Amino acid sequence: GEKLGDDDVPDFLGVTLSALDAVGHSYGPDAPETLDTLLRVDRVLGDLLDFVDRTIGLEHVIVSLSADHGVGDVPEVRLAHGLDAGRIDSAGVVCVQHEGAEVGKRFGLEGREWMPDFLYLDRAEIEAAGAAFDDVRRALATGLERCPRVAKVFLPEDIDSALDPLVAELYHNGYHPERSPDLLILLEPNTLLGGAVASHGQAQPYDTHVPWLLRLPQTASPSSVTVTGRVRTVDVAPTIAPFLGLDMTGADGHDVAELWSGTALPARTPHPR
């Protein structure tokens, strides 16, 4: 209906395949329901590409397929196989409440709403009680690290010294000084926070690593290349842009088309902040 591909001006069609996300959260990555949905997604994509090929010709089309996140195993599945996993359950909540109460007693904060939301502290309430804001933050971080499935609790200014550089990059990218909490938390691997059967959101490879499949217009000798080095989702647009005659100078990502010729992936440093 939009007459995509009918002229020499490049057109963009974005398609979100969201059913797999809903099923994955509800049943987990190992469930037959998830496999069934994945097979159906594959068939739908095949039908779409067959239609595009008949209508426009895939020799005129670039196809890019990726995902917004990965997923961890269902903790109970890992535990059944003798592997480490866990959930932040009621015991974890009680531990957080206990450690908060202990810090409140230590600094004379009883009766004050000094932590109105988890990991968000009220500086005015703390200082009105005669306590030092930074002392309270660090004491609470130390206490919360005693709670089950908590690997590390740290202050935003300690990200670089507390974390591996690649993990630190993720925390920097997600941190906003005016909106983010006063303490940051890193859970043990394979830990779920909340009641979902399966979920994501942690700084672990199973949550952050996703595939990127890129299909360029067919050439006289079609071939495929598998790249195992690290590329990022922000590299997608700058890599595709030159094929469309677009200039993306200044974008966060990089053009990584050199990888297809066998050139080694350049070493990456965390994105400037």
Side-chain angles (χ1 to χ4, degrees):
E2 298 294 334
K3 302 185 184 303
L4 303 183
D6 276 5
D7 55 32
D8 294 332
V9 178
D11 294 309
F12 173 81
L13 173 64
V15 179
T16 300
L17 305 163
S18 57
L20 188 62
D21 183 80
V23 174
H25 276 285
S26 300
Y27 296 95
D30 302 308
E33 291 86 352
T34 305
L35 175 59
D36 177 80
T37 306
L38 183 60
L39 291 172
R40 293 171 186 269
V41 168
D42 181 70
R43 292 169 183 167
V44 167
L45 280 174
D47 291 343
L48 172 61
L49 293 177
D50 286 344
F51 171 80
V52 172
D53 195 21
R54 292 192 306 270
T55 307
I56 301 171
L58 287 177
E59 67 272 16
H60 305 298
V61 177
I62 295 175
V63 180
S64 178
L65 176 66
S66 189
D68 57 337
H69 57 75
V71 64
D73 293 326
V74 177
E76 290 75 13
V77 172
R78 291 185 58 85
L79 291 171
H81 289 85
L83 302 173
D84 178 67
R87 294 179 181 271
I88 303 294
D89 53 15
S90 57
V93 175
V94 170
C95 180
V96 168
Q97 294 172 338
H98 171 76
E99 295 298 335
E102 289 297 309
V103 170
K105 292 177 184 178
R106 176 180 169 184
F107 290 93
L109 301 173
E110 300 102 319
R112 294 181 178 273
E113 195 175 359
W114 61 277
M115 187 167 58
D117 203 355
F118 182 50
L119 302 180
Y120 286 85
L121 309 184
D122 190 320
R123 179 187 289 269
E125 285 288 306
I126 291 172
E127 294 180 346
F133 183 68
D134 283 346
D135 290 346
V136 172
R137 285 198 301 166
R138 295 195 179 277
L140 184 60
T142 300
L144 293 178
E145 286 184 352
R146 291 191 281 266
C147 293
R149 307 302 302 178
V150 174
K152 185 72 178 176
V153 181
F154 50 95
L155 278 56
E157 58 263 36
D158 296 336
I159 289 177
D160 290 320
S161 60
L163 299 173
D164 172 90
L166 290 181
V167 178
E169 180 183 4
L170 298 176
Y171 274 79
H172 275 294
N173 289 343
Y175 180 75
H176 191 291
E178 297 178 3
R179 301 174 184 173
S180 295
D182 296 292
L183 297 175
L184 303 176
I185 188 168
L186 177 69
L187 298 179
E188 296 285 353
N190 304 297
T191 300
L192 277 189
L193 180 61
V197 173
S199 193
H200 54 88
Q202 302 301 315
Q204 302 291 345
Y206 52 76
D207 277 357
T208 61
H209 290 194
V210 295
W212 175 30
L213 306 179
L214 181 64
R215 183 194 184 281
L216 297 174
Q218 293 178 348
T219 62
S221 56
S223 62
S224 63
V225 177
T226 300
V227 176
T228 57
R230 183 178 183 235
V231 296
R232 302 179 298 173
T233 52
V234 291
D235 295 331
V236 174
T239 302
I240 295 175
F243 293 97
L244 306 177
L246 302 177
D247 181 7
M248 292 199 66
T249 303
D252 286 343
H254 304 276
D255 179 354
V256 295
E258 71 232 19
L259 298 178
W260 305 323
S261 63
T263 304
L265 182 68
R268 293 192 183 280
T269 56
H271 188 269
R273 295 177 289 277

